[in-house]
DNA sequence: GTCTATACAAAGATAGAC
DNA sequence: GTCTATCTTTGTATAGAC
């Protein structure tokens, strides 16, 4: 009972997806080719077509793999009742801080969003779903925080969630192009004041 | 004494740049071709090479034209001593709200930042300069606001400027991929609380 | 300044041998 | 599953006529 019926799960297929993810996060989807993957993997590009007949198939597999990894992490974190809102937020920001620490890497879906109209139509709903999942998670975190008395009832969870997510995605984007040591940390600290209790 | 010695200034050249700007904002740089521009302009792609011999030349011209337009607007606004910080911020956000209202359009440099490593090296410094100019402008607005007593002295202008800019860029990116009516307005309203006087 | 024609490389993809 | 070989299309760019 595979999660995604059409996504190959063999070892080579997984390595192809891993390379594709990395390349998309650094160069984007339009700019990469089967040749780029072939060069890194050490097998011919025709062989990659055996696993992913069309580039669209590979693109979708890359998004789904990326989203699945983050989703399972976030679900696990959200289930821990002992965590304060502040701790929950720290956990949420972890992957973004990691991306910022790795040179030249941004969120895979952030990269794809920048060229969304150049993507095959079949890839677009997955990007949208990724964004909606994240915003819903942050919103739920805030609602929970209000219920626990850790977030001010004046906070509009939907609005703040959208702002927090936009700031993190934007910070990754700007940091890679313009640099700025400690940029992500500064943005995280600043957006925390949007909902942290005084 | 042209601003950019190598950038053609003829009427056709300007129309080419305008089309290139629009296409980059919607589809990105890697995904567009001289053929795309040819189709819209009604002249053959070989003729476009007369004005911009290499695609890199056109890319640079597009960034410079885009940045110049925004810079002159921002300089004019910043020079008006009568404007309160709140009014200044509204003026700053205007172009972002306009982009959000136009379907499928994001900031040109936001789009380029998403594929920065796929860009010709000659284009990258212009993107960086654009981001630095914007963050410096916002920072100056906040410093001015503190001096005028309209912004709390507790605000760290550099950090808040980076956060505000990241949130706006990210909001455009996310909105185009995931939709969300009133998203930009919500984000603008929320980030205003980062520095608005209580 | 724009055209036709063309060169050249790269991309996505398929066929068939092993 | 991977290979070689090949096909087709597209992209960037140039040459030379008008």
């Amino acid at each position: 009972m595979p999660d995604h019926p059409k996504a190959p799960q063999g070892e080579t297929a997984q390595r192809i997806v891993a390379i594709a993810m990395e390349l998309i996060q650094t160069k984007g989807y339009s700019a990469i080719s089967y040749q780029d993957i072939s060069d890194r993997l050490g097998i011919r590009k025709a062989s990659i077509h055996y696993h992913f007949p069309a580039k669209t198939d590979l693109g979708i597999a890359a998004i789904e793999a990326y989203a699945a990894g983050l989703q399972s992490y976030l679900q696990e974190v959200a289930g821990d009742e002992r965590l304060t809102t502040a701790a929950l937020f720290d956990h949420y920001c972890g992957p973004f801080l990691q991306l910022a620490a790795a040179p030249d890497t941004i969120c895979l879906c952030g990269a794809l969003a920048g060229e969304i109209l150049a993507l095959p139509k079949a890839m677009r709903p997955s990007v949208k779903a990724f964004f909606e999942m994240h915003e819903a998670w942050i919103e739920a975190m805030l609602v929970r925080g209000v219920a626990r008395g850790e977030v001010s009832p004046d906070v509009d969870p939907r609005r703040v969630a959208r702002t927090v997510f936009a700031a993190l995605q934007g910070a990754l984007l700007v940091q890679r192009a313009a640099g700025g040591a400690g940029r992500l940390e500064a943005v995280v600290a600043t957006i925390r004041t949007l909902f942290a209790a005084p």
Side-chain angles (χ1 to χ4, degrees), chain A:
Chain A
M1 194 182 346
D3 284 326
H4 304 292
K6 287 190 177 175
Q9 294 294 331
E11 210 174 287
T12 303
Q14 284 179 18
R15 249 179 294 169
I16 292 168
V17 169
I19 292 170
M21 282 172 47
E22 189 191 320
L23 286 173
I24 292 171
Q25 288 182 262
T26 49
K27 298 179 55 182
Y29 177 83
S30 300
I32 67 172
S33 68
Y34 275 40
Q35 189 60 55
D36 294 326
I37 296 165
S38 168
D39 293 340
R40 298 215 186 185
L41 188 57
I43 72 175
R44 300 291 178 169
K45 61 176 181 166
S47 308
I48 301 172
H49 280 284
Y50 169 79
H51 299 279
F52 300 96
K55 195 184 174 188
T56 303
D57 302 322
L58 177 54
I60 294 175
I63 307 179
E64 299 297 346
Y66 183 80
L70 267 174
Q71 184 154 31
S72 68
Y73 168 73
L74 292 178
Q75 278 179 353
E76 188 182 347
V77 170
D80 190 339
E81 284 297 330
R82 295 164 304 179
L83 294 174
T84 63
T85 301
L88 215 47
F89 183 63
D90 282 340
H91 280 88
Y92 178 77
C93 292
F96 288 92
L97 292 167
Q98 270 183 266
L99 285 173
D104 298 332
T105 302
I106 63 173
C107 171
L108 184 136
C109 286
L112 293 177
E115 53 180 339
I116 193 88
L117 295 179
L119 300 181
K121 286 203 172 68
M123 289 178 63
R124 300 180 198 175
S126 301
V127 177
K128 182 179 182 186
F130 177 90
F131 287 164
E132 287 170 344
M133 186 267 280
H134 273 260
E135 293 190 332
W137 192 96
I138 301 171
E139 188 178 337
M141 176 192 81
L142 294 170
V143 168
R144 171 184 177 279
V146 171
R148 292 164 63 108
E150 294 164 353
V151 170
S152 161
D154 293 341
V155 163
D156 181 327
R158 166 75 57 92
R159 286 181 167 218
V160 172
R162 285 180 166 187
T163 304
V164 164
F165 186 64
L168 290 170
Q169 287 289 345
L172 286 174
L173 201 67
V174 174
Q175 187 208 249
R176 188 177 63 177
R183 178 186 294 271
L184 256 286
E185 288 78 4
V187 168
V188 166
T190 306
I191 59 182
R192 193 192 296 278
T193 67
L194 286 172
F195 60 86

